[in-house]
């Protein structure tokens, strides 16, 4: 099986092993690449070139193998105490996608997307007490992994927020028949891009403090 000319194993290595390696200072013997280096680590390049895509090619579906790879990447995210308090709802029926577009004012692009993945927190798996809210960080990390995986596979996706808006959370729960312990964090429409996305340079030196504030 191949994705954009790469084998499943190669893509999986890029998404999982490669991303971990680029954060490991001992993974390479040489110095870390700078922004001016000619050859950029492909995992870093994937992060730097990802952008939100809201328009998709019509009538082009996404295979189940690709969806499985997206979910594997999402569930490779870091998670507090390895609790993995996440759940995912994969939506590919036109009726369900249109229904979500009706109740989510900032996710109207669902009407043209062939697929959406709802990233959720499962409070039944979350830590207890004050640490319970760490599910938000865990599911956010999984959502970002999903976006990066989509970009690496030649897909376009966009994070549309649900939680902590009470109105949006309730609307998605009701639309998808979710139990009370499942909290939708985001709805991620996914499709093959209808246009080339232009990534934004968000680097600002003013946001950085070394040593202390």
């Amino acid at each position: 099986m191949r994705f954009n000319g790469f084998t499943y194993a190669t893509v999986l290595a890029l998404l999982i092993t490669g991303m971990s390696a680029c954060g490991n200072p001992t993974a390479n013997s040489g110095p870390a690449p700078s922004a001016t280096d000619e050859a950029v680590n492909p995992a870093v390049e994937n992060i730097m070139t990802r952008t939100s895509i809201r328009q998709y090619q019509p009538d082009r579906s996404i295979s189940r193998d690709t969806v499985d790879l997206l979910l594997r990447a999402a569930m490779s995210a870091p998670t507090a105490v390895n609790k993995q308090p996440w759940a995912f709802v994969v939506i590919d029926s036109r009726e369900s996608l249109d229904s979500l577009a009706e109740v989510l004012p900032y996710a109207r692009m669902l009407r043209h997307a062939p697929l959406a993945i709802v990233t959720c927190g499962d409070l039944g798996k979350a830590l207890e007490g004050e640490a319970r809210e760490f599910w938000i960080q865990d599911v956010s990390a999984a959502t970002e992994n999903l976006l990066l995986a989509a970009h690496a596979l030649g897909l376009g996706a966009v994070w549309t927020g649900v939680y902590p808006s009470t109105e949006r959370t309730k609307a998605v729960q009701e639309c998808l028949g979710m139990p009370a312990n499942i909290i939708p964090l985001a709805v991620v429409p996914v499709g093959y891009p209808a246009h080339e996305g232009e990534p934004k340079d968000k680097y600002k030196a003013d946001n950085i403090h070394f040593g202390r504030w």
Side-chain angles (χ1 to χ4, degrees):
M1 176 171 40
R2 303 183 74 83
F3 301 91
N4 291 343
F6 296 98
T7 65
Y8 180 98
T10 302
V11 174
L12 196 59
L14 169 64
L15 296 176
I16 300 172
T17 314
M19 287 182 185
S20 299
C22 73
N24 182 353
T26 63
N28 298 295
S29 56
S34 72
T36 57
D37 285 343
E38 241 180 74
V40 180
N41 180 291
V44 175
E45 183 179 16
N46 189 61
I47 293 170
M48 302 287 280
T49 58
R50 188 215 64 82
T51 189
S52 297
I53 299 293
R54 296 175 174 82
Q55 296 176 29
Y56 316 103
Q57 295 179 31
D59 305 320
R60 190 172 177 189
S61 61
I62 299 170
S63 73
R64 279 303 168 101
D65 287 334
T66 301
V67 173
D68 179 67
L69 188 53
L70 292 174
L71 294 170
R72 285 176 181 273
M75 287 185 264
S76 295
T79 164
V81 200
N82 198 31
K83 279 292 191 178
Q84 303 174 39
W86 44 50
F88 304 88
V89 183
V90 179
I91 303 165
D92 58 8
S93 81
R94 187 75 268 145
E95 182 181 356
S96 296
L97 290 165
D98 289 347
S99 294
L100 278 176
E102 276 294 320
V103 299
L104 295 174
Y106 298 102
R108 303 297 192 202
M109 73 289 293
L110 285 164
R111 292 190 180 281
H112 309 288
L115 178 82
I117 297 176
V118 186
T119 58
C120 309
D122 183 344
L123 299 187
K125 298 177 184 176
L127 291 163
E128 296 181 0
E130 194 176 72
R132 190 186 201 196
E133 295 301 297
F134 279 120
W135 76 263
I136 301 169
Q137 297 181 35
D138 294 348
V139 179
S140 293
T143 305
E144 180 67 6
N145 268 20
L146 173 63
L147 293 172
L148 291 171
H151 181 50
L153 294 172
L155 296 164
V158 58
W159 182 324
T160 67
V162 178
Y163 184 87
S165 166
T166 303
E167 183 180 354
R168 293 186 213 172
T169 299
K170 184 179 179 182
V172 174
Q173 285 175 322
E174 290 179 352
C175 189
L176 300 179
M178 293 176 172
N181 65 299
I182 302 298
I183 310 297
L185 179 85
V187 174
V188 181
V190 186
Y192 287 94
H195 62 91
E196 185 95 16
E198 187 64 38
K200 300 179 180 70
D201 183 0
K202 301 176 184 176
Y203 178 86
K204 291 184 177 64
D206 291 347
N207 293 334
I208 303 168
H209 304 272
F210 289 97
R212 59 177 295 163
W213 193 269

